[in-house]
């Protein structure tokens, strides 16, 4: 990434931001934690057009504070950060500056969004409820502040937009925050209603919609999906295949401190596509099969060319519980695994691919699930 010519930010972010259905006495006040905010010499110096506010989810079950720390530390090296992360029971952590481009969802979205907000993920329903109320009100009040419509994912090119809307209408392959919201019973329609009307200081809907009689729902249909994969050691041979991941030398594909040039991946259910980046060629075409004996259509990579990046995307069969590939890698030049990647959603800077371009990839771990097991 080209180093930016940084200018001092003209406008400082206020220490508190009032959120709620309207900016009146009913609105609740939520203090913003600035401990992990980028300094005036960090982040993009480019101002935004005020057309959209973008709703994200982190796609990793980790405290919001940890995500804020990570984005603050790696904003430049990973080229990814947003203005706010909401979580930890309704807390707000600031990283980027409002009104200046963040790096959260592609060039068009970044240039048109004065505010992008991540929702940290939790299994705790009570914690989720606090997070959700704060998230919704911050999305809504940010839109009101910048004169942006509070409609969610409308056909217009102004309003509150999910990362899924950006994917469907502009660029990308992320679908957040809907998968996570659905895991806590929030539909797209409910989310759109809540953002449009907001919550009062008590956390109640300002303009609740009548609750329809729910239709009987089918039980969750989650299938166990296993992924088998292997790397080819450059100048040598195919290494033993690995199923999912584990600990020790059998828990990953590859050989530590070695260079690899080909990769194959296959799943026992659903489908997966994948591709590799090599030092010699850049990103190679997507591969949809996994067969080490078919180096044309069943393998990603070119014999003798060094792999330094891997990207993949798992497709869940229709009607089943949504799952995705979670994967991570290590390089010959660093100790320890790099950040966890997910094939959709936002995983704090590591959502695009596994690896560090320019550094040979020496080991890889993958599993398919509806949450990360790392």
């Amino acid at each position: 990434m080209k180093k930016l010519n940084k200018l001092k930010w003209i406008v400082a972010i206020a220490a508190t931001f009032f959120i709620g259905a309207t900016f009146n006495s009913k609105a609740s006040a939520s203090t913003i934690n600035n401990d992990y905010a980028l300094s005036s010499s960090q982040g993009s110096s480019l101002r935004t057009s005020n057309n959209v506010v973008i709703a994200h989810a982190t796609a990793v079950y980790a405290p919001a504070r940890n995500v804020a720390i990570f984005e603050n530390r790696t904003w430049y090296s990973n080229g990814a950060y947003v203005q706010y992360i909401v979580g930890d029971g309704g807390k707000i952590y600031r990283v980027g500056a409002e009104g200046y481009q963040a790096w959260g969802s592609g060039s068009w979205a970044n240039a048109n969004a004065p505010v992008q907000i991540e929702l940290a993920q939790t299994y705790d329903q009570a914690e989720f409820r606090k997070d959700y109320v704060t998230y919704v009100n911050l999305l809504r009040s940010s839109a009101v502040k910048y004169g942006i419509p509070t409609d969610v994912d409308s056909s217009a090119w102004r309003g509150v937009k999910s990362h899924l809307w950006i994917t469907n209408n502009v660029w990308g392959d992320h679908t957040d925050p809907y998968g996570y919201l659905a895991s806590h019973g929030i539909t797209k329609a409910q989310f759109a209603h809540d953002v449009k009307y907001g919550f009062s200081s008590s956390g109640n809907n300002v303009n609740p919609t009548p609750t329809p009689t729910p239709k009987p729902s089918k039980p969750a249909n989650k299938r166990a999906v296993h992924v088998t994969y292997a790397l080819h050691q450059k100048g040598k041979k195919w290494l033993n295949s690995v199923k999912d991941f584990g600990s020790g030398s059998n828990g990953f594909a590859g050989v530590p401190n070695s260079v690899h040039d080909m990769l194959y991946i296959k799943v026992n259910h659903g489908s997966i596509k994948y591709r590799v980046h090599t030092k010699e060629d850049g990103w190679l075409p997507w591969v949809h099969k996994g067969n080490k004996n078919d180096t044309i259509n069943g393998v990603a990579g070119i014999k003798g060319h060094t792999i330094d990046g891997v990207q993949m995307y798992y497709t869940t069969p229709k009607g089943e519980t949504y799952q995705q590939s979670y994967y991570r890698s290590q390089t010959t030049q660093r100790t320890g695994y790099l950040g966890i990647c997910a094939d959709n959603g936002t995983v704090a800077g590591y959502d695009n691919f596994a690896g560090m371009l320019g550094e040979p990839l020496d080991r890889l771990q993958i599993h398919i699930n509806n949450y990360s097991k790392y």
Side-chain angles (χ1 to χ4, degrees):
M1 182 176 295
K2 185 171 68 176
K3 189 172 180 62
L4 301 174
N5 178 19
K6 304 178 187 67
L7 304 174
K8 286 191 176 293
W9 287 331
I10 300 171
V11 181
I13 300 302
T16 57
F17 193 92
F18 290 93
I19 59 175
T22 57
F23 292 97
N24 58 26
S25 59
K26 289 185 178 181
S28 61
S30 182
T31 302
I32 290 176
N33 183 313
N34 290 297
D35 292 348
Y36 315 108
L38 298 178
S39 71
S40 60
S41 63
Q42 297 174 309
S44 174
S45 62
L46 299 175
R47 297 299 299 262
T48 64
S49 298
N50 301 331
N51 290 313
V52 295
V53 172
I54 301 176
H56 299 275
T58 60
V60 61
Y61 286 84
R65 176 178 175 272
N66 290 8
V67 178
I69 291 171
F70 182 85
E71 290 193 4
N72 172 277
R73 186 177 73 245
T74 65
W75 71 272
Y76 183 78
S77 60
N78 291 323
Y81 68 95
V82 297
Q83 279 83 9
Y84 296 114
I85 297 100
V86 173
D88 301 344
K91 296 179 180 178
I92 302 172
Y93 300 90
R94 180 169 73 86
V95 179
E98 280 191 25
Y100 289 82
Q101 293 188 23
W103 300 334
S105 43
S107 58
W108 182 90
N110 295 339
N112 283 276
V115 177
Q116 299 191 49
I117 304 169
E118 291 272 14
L119 177 60
Q121 299 190 182
T122 176
Y123 294 109
D124 187 279
Q125 185 64 27
E127 182 177 338
F128 167 78
R129 179 62 187 177
K130 295 177 182 177
D131 295 345
Y132 181 68
V133 168
T134 300
Y135 178 63
V136 162
N137 281 344
L138 184 55
L139 287 166
R140 184 182 189 282
S141 58
S142 296
V144 171
K145 178 179 179 179
Y146 288 97
I148 296 170
T150 57
D151 299 321
V152 175
D153 287 356
S154 71
S155 59
W157 286 78
R158 302 190 75 242
V160 177
K161 304 298 183 184
S162 68
H163 205 160
L164 174 62
W165 189 95
I166 300 299
T167 292
N168 290 340
N169 293 275
V170 186
W171 172 88
D173 59 7
H174 297 180
T175 61
D176 54 309
Y178 291 120
Y180 173 59
L181 294 180
S183 73
H184 285 281
I186 302 296
T187 65
K188 291 182 181 181
Q190 184 65 54
F191 178 57
H193 173 273
D194 293 342
V195 171
K196 188 171 184 64
Y197 295 104
F199 292 96
S200 68
S201 58
S202 64
N204 295 319
N205 287 92
V206 174
N207 183 22
T209 54
T211 303
T213 302
K215 295 180 180 179
S217 59
K218 295 181 180 179
N221 183 19
K222 180 181 176 181
R223 296 285 299 271
V225 181
H226 299 291
V227 55
T228 302
Y229 53 105
L231 283 164
H232 183 276
Q233 195 171 9
K234 185 175 178 180
K236 295 186 179 180
K237 62 180 182 179
W238 280 102
L239 301 169
N240 291 335
S241 61
V242 177
K243 183 178 180 180
D244 302 326
F245 80 100
S247 59
S249 59
N250 293 322
F252 57 84
V255 174
N257 302 312
S258 294
V259 177
H260 304 88
D261 54 7
M262 291 186 288
L263 166 71
Y264 84 85
I265 305 173
K266 60 183 179 180
V267 291
N268 70 323
H269 184 70
S271 62
I272 194 166
K273 68 176 182 178
Y274 58 101
R275 63 177 181 172
V276 299
H277 184 284
T278 71
K279 294 176 69 174
E280 296 83 359
D281 312 291
W283 285 108
L284 296 174
W286 289 100
V287 176
H288 298 268
K289 299 179 181 179
N291 181 357
K292 66 182 180 182
N293 296 317
D294 180 0
T295 57
I296 303 300
N297 299 308
V299 167
I302 298 174
K303 193 171 184 179
H305 292 199
T306 300
I307 294 174
D308 58 0
V310 175
Q311 190 176 39
M312 66 192 74
Y313 193 93
Y314 174 75
T315 299
T316 305
K318 186 177 181 180
E320 296 183 11
T321 300
Y322 177 76
Q323 300 188 77
Q324 59 181 325
S325 59
Y326 288 91
Y327 56 108
R328 62 181 184 176
S329 66
Q330 192 164 326
T331 82
T332 58
Q333 298 178 32
R334 297 170 190 258
T335 301
Y337 281 99
L338 299 171
I340 300 166
C341 304
D343 61 31
N344 85 334
T346 301
V347 180
Y350 278 102
D351 210 39
N352 285 332
F353 63 90
M356 192 66 64
L357 301 187
E359 300 180 11
L361 183 146
D362 71 349
R363 66 199 84 176
L364 177 68
Q365 287 187 324
I366 313 171
H367 74 281
I368 310 294
N369 212 310
N370 59 341
Y371 65 93
S372 172
K373 290 185 176 182
Y374 297 121

